[in-house]
């Protein structure tokens, strides 16, 4: 939701608190007033539009990949580096246990606080990030370990060094590679699904989105500055692009939506990782004995496209 | 005014090179495949002339030319609907999509050829491009013919939203099948190839042949300049620079393109 909407809700919460204190202190009943405020809050929360969701997907307190890893899995063992150039800290890769099941986990990682944000490059990988992911995908495939990817990036980094080291090649090769893996791949967009940078680890047998995440071919700002030649048309661009979980399930681009608590994942992260964990367990058990996963994955993506 | 300037339109007879500024006789310019004979700058070449330059004379059969785009998102820019812009573009270009798929012969060899038309929405990749690419590659596998795709594209078709992003995966999916079938795929990125097309099939060629001077990259130069807030070096993202960085197999002059592709196919096709 937008900042002013979030502020309003906080103010209502504070008011409710005050009224409750008053009730205790003065031993009177203020139920009517409190209920009225609750209703107002509810109606604000129910009216989340696509632009609120862009705000929530980028919310500074939104849980990031490592948070989910720490809370959903046991024995997480991180692997570093692409064995070609370096270790990209905006991409996390490793193995872990999901209630006893071995899984491979790959995800974008954003930072919190200026220093950490820069260290994680705002969740925007360089080619070595995608190549690290590729290396770990192959490792998982070799030892028959299902892959879970968590997507949260504004996009792959657009810079001189990234171009020199082949950003386009790195992403393209991941796309093809992911159609060659025999193990199940399950993807979940947990925040921002930014274009090719997201897709580079999001080719999967099953794709879920958190309710307030977004997934788009281009950021609303980028689209606005290209098409309208003015980034301030971002809202208009977002409305045209159709980037919410609800839009994407209608287009059959994703398979499932994970509910979030009122006002966004940051309000009750535990509820979100519990739901996501159950979902992942269900899908893994559904996919683990399926034959011909690779062919079905290709077929799933072949069907995507609308034309006449 | 003399007789000559009254009867002959001088302007249309001479072409001014965008790069070196010299005037070139139009006929010579076209015969030289739209390459400036003085400075060798490669100018834009219309899509069907590109095909004529690659296919043996008369050996060209276009496929699925009626597959066309749909405005399924109701995408509207300043009151202009995508569907309206599509019909205008279709009329202007005479094509129904940005991707020409064809079976051709190239120096006597059967080849499946795909060419992106940059004049059609900047060669952007939407559902139709992805679908025709997929079909053409499947046809290559079925007929055991190599696939050659010439790309010039600004990236994904924004007016098709997420579906255009999915075409990156779709085109890469069929290339994994090409690998299994051991059917060669030669990618020829020409000026300019960026975004979703470069980050999918254009950089997945078994062999990648870049045309001289072509701009090839993931992000466009404007986006990079805005991100890093500095001017980019002159040759940055040019074909020659990509060869230096190890991203393309070779950089080829337009006049040598057909023979180079045919020679490489000689190695790859058994």
């Amino acid at each position: 939701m937008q900042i002013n909407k979030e502020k309003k809700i906080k103010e209502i919460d504070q008011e409710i608190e005050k009224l409750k204190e008053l009730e205790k202190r003065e031993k009177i009943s203020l139920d009517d007033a409190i209920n009225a405020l609750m209703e107002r809050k509810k109606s604000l929360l129910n009216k989340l539009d696509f632009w609120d969701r862009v705000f929530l997907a980028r919310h500074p307190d939104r849980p990031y990949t490592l948070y989910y890893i720490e809370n959903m899995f046991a024995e997480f063992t991180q692997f570093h580096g692409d064995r070609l150039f370096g270790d990209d800290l905006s991409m996390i890769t490793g193995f872990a246990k999901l209630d006893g099941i071995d899984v491979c986990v790959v995800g974008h990682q954003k930072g919190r606080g200026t220093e950490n944000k820069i260290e994680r490059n705002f969740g925007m990988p360089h080619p070595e990030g995608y190549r690290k992911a590729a290396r770990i995908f192959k490792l998982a495939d070799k030892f028959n370990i299902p892959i879970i990817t968590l997507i949260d990036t504004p996009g792959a980094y657009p810079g001189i060094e990234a171009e020199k080291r082949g950003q386009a090649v790195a992403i393209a090769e991941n796309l093809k590679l992911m159609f060659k893996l025999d193990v199940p791949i399950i993807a979940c967009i947990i925040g921002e699904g930014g274009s090719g940078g997201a897709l580079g680890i999001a080719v999967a047998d099953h794709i879920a989105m958190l309710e307030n995440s977004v997934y788009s071919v281009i950021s609303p700002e980028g689209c606005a500055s290209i098409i309208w030649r003015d980034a301030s048309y971002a809202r208009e661009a977002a409305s045209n692009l159709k980037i919410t979980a609800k839009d994407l399930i209608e287009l059959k681009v994703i398979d499932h939506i994970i509910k979030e608590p009122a006002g966004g994942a940051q309000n009750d992260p535990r509820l979100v990782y519990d739901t996501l964990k159950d979902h992942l367990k269900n899908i893994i058990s559904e996919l683990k004995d399926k034959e011909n996963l690779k062919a079905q994955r290709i077929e799933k993506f072949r069907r995507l496209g609308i034309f006449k | 005014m003399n007789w000559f300037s009254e009867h002959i339109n001088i302007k249309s007879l001479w072409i001014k090179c965008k790069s070196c500024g010299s005037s070139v006789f139009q006929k010579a310019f076209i015969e030289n495949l739209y390459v400036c004979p003085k400075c060798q700058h490669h100018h834009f070449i219309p899509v069907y002339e590109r095909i004529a330059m690659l296919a043996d004379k008369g050996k060209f059969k276009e496929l699925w030319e009626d597959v066309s785009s749909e405005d399924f998102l109701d995408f509207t820019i300043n009151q202009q609907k995508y569907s309206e812009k599509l019909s205008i573009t279709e009329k202007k270009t005479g094509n129904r999509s940005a991707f020409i798929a064809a079976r051709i012969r190239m120096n006597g060899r059967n080849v499946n050829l795909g060419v992106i038309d940059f004049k059609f929405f900047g060669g952007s990749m939407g559902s139709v491009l992805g679908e025709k690419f997929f079909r053409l590659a499947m046809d290559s596998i079925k007929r055991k013919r190599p696939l050659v795709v010439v790309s010039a594209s600004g990236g994904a078709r924004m007016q098709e939203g997420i579906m255009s992003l999915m075409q990156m995966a779709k085109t890469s999916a069929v290339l994994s099948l090409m690998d299994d079938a051991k059917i060669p795929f030669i990618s020829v990125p020409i000026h300019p190839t960026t975004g979703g097309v470069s980050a999918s099939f254009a950089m997945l060629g078994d062999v990648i042949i870049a045309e001289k001077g072509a701009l090839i990259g993931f992000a466009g130069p404007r986006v990079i300049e805005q991100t890093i807030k500095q001017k980019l070096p002159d040759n940055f993202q040019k074909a020659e620079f990509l060869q230096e960085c190890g991203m393309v197999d070779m950089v080829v002059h337009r006049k040598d393109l057909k023979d180079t592709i045919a020679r490489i196919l000689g190695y790859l096709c058994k």
Side-chain angles (χ1 to χ4, degrees), chain A residues 131 165-174, chain B residues 198-199 203-204 208 247:
Chain A
R131 291 182 178 127
R165 298 200 287 274
Q167 188 72 288
V169 180
I171 292 172
E173 287 186 342
N174 270 22
Chain B
S198 74
M203 294 311 268
L204 288 175
I208 303 175
M247 297 303 153

Side-chain angles (χ1 to χ4, degrees), chain B residues 212-264:
Chain B
K212 215 170 158 1
L215 179 113
I216 302 160
F218 172 67
R222 205 159 54 105
V223 175
I224 299 173
E225 275 180 351
Q226 278 168 7
T227 309
I228 61 170
K229 308 211 162 41
Q230 342 168 353
K231 269 268 177 229
L232 296 169
D234 264 353
N235 72 333
F236 186 65
Q237 294 183 312
K238 289 285 159 59
E240 295 71 15
F241 174 84
L242 262 85
Q243 183 177 304
E244 261 171 51
C245 292
M247 297 303 153
V248 299
D249 291 273
M250 62 190 77
V251 178
V252 168
H253 191 290
R254 191 175 284 163
K255 70 174 163 48
D256 300 324
L257 192 55
K258 182 180 184 182
D259 289 342
T260 306
I261 298 171
R263 193 170 65 244
I264 293 166

